[in-house]
Amino acid sequence: MAAEYPYVYPYSRAEARRNKETQMHEESLRLNISCARAIEQAVRDHSDEEGKALREGCARSVLDKYGFKRVCFVLSNSVKEIPRQYQIDDELRQWARRTSVPRDGKYNRYYVVDTATALLESFTRQTRDAYQALGLFGPEHRVYAGDYEGKVLILSPEALKEEYWTPRDQLWLATGGAGCTVGKLGRTVFATCLGDGDQARFDRSDFIGILGEEFLPDWAAEKLAELRGPKEEQPEQSPGGMEMK
């Protein structure tokens, strides 16, 4: 199980002031800066003799200390701060866009990773490979169906603490709530975890979507059958509609 990491504050300093959360912003910013400096040190420690490539384990050393959420937040900020005229992999820029980092004036510059672009790309690839190794469910495992009730849903990693970033903690059976039905005003979804049977309340936006049946693991199928219970046998009927004894 992963360690419990401090909260990554996702809003700007201006919004933090409006919400009276400046201390939260400052604490998270301090850790973002510390994380950026740790990445720079890890890159120096794990670079080859020519300083053009990274040895394996470079990203892991920082991920263990700061967690995926903060490391990805800092890396995404760093990529977004690279001017458009600089050469950098387009796919990496697209990856960075998927993490929401607020435009925060001078504060964004404070936690930019200061290293060669090629080494930043290499560190980010190692981070992404480590994330893939977790085996989490994502958008590629969902189906585009509407109503949730009675369906197996994929809980977004963003709705979970990193200590619960496992496939078993992502799959939930929707049991009710207005958020299960498309078009209803309410957004609450009640669900049961297929991993441990816990019941919880979520917002509809906490879920990536409905899991495709072809991706349902055996352990989840067993739990699902247990939760749904045996199907009631329907009485046989004669051609005239009378029940057969």
Side-chain angles (χ1 to χ4, degrees):
M1 180 179 289
E4 185 172 356
Y5 299 103
Y7 179 62
V8 180
Y9 190 76
Y11 307 116
S12 67
R13 178 76 171 191
E15 192 159 355
R17 287 197 196 96
R18 286 194 295 271
N19 296 330
K20 297 181 171 56
E21 296 174 341
T22 53
Q23 184 175 351
M24 293 175 64
H25 179 276
E26 289 170 1
E27 290 173 352
S28 193
L29 175 63
R30 176 178 56 80
L31 287 171
N32 291 344
I33 295 169
S34 177
C35 179
R37 303 294 83 81
I39 293 173
E40 292 166 2
Q41 185 61 53
V43 167
R44 288 191 291 270
D45 292 343
H46 291 79
S47 295
D48 62 13
E49 293 181 358
E50 297 179 353
K52 295 182 178 180
L54 296 181
R55 293 187 292 272
E56 291 298 318
C58 182
R60 184 78 266 168
S61 64
V62 183
L63 288 168
D64 288 343
K65 184 174 182 179
Y66 291 94
F68 280 98
K69 287 186 179 182
R70 191 171 305 280
V71 170
C72 290
F73 192 82
V74 169
L75 290 175
S76 295
N77 177 68
S78 301
V79 171
K80 290 174 181 178
E81 288 293 305
I82 296 174
R84 294 299 306 178
Q85 63 267 28
Y86 281 66
Q87 288 290 332
I88 188 170
D89 185 59
D90 285 340
E91 200 273 335
L92 182 58
R93 286 195 188 273
Q94 292 174 13
W95 172 83
R97 292 191 196 104
R98 292 198 286 270
T99 298
S100 177
V101 180
R103 294 297 84 202
D104 205 11
K106 62 182 181 181
Y107 298 106
N108 290 107
R109 289 298 308 163
Y110 292 167
Y111 58 100
V112 167
V113 176
D114 185 10
T115 191
T117 301
L119 295 178
L120 179 64
E121 289 179 342
S122 182
F123 188 95
T124 304
R125 284 192 210 97
Q126 286 193 16
T127 299
R128 296 173 65 188
D129 288 345
Y131 180 85
Q132 289 296 323
L134 295 175
L136 299 179
F137 294 101
E140 67 275 18
H141 301 111
R142 68 184 174 187
V143 294
Y144 293 91
D147 294 345
Y148 280 178
E149 188 165 355
K151 305 292 178 56
V152 176
L153 308 181
I154 305 170
L155 187 62
S156 170
E158 293 304 311
L160 288 164
K161 292 183 178 180
E162 282 190 46
E163 59 195 284
Y164 299 111
W165 275 17
T166 70
R168 286 182 173 270
D169 290 301
Q170 276 193 288
L171 298 187
W172 293 72
L173 174 64
T175 56
C180 285
T181 305
V182 176
K184 278 198 174 182
L185 293 178
R187 299 186 59 81
T188 297
V189 174
F190 296 100
T192 300
C193 181
L194 297 186
D196 56 17
D198 281 356
Q199 298 178 334
R201 172 180 177 175
F202 297 97
D203 186 276
R204 185 182 175 93
S205 63
D206 290 330
F207 295 98
I208 294 173
I210 298 171
L211 180 73
E213 291 184 5
E214 68 272 27
F215 300 116
L216 186 69
D218 290 342
W219 61 264
E222 292 176 7
K223 185 63 177 180
L224 187 61
E226 177 188 324
L227 291 173
R228 286 176 171 169
K231 293 182 179 179
E232 294 183 6
E233 293 186 8
Q234 298 297 320
E236 294 183 24
Q237 291 188 341
S238 67
M242 299 291 290
E243 289 187 13
M244 301 290 290
K245 299 293 185 182

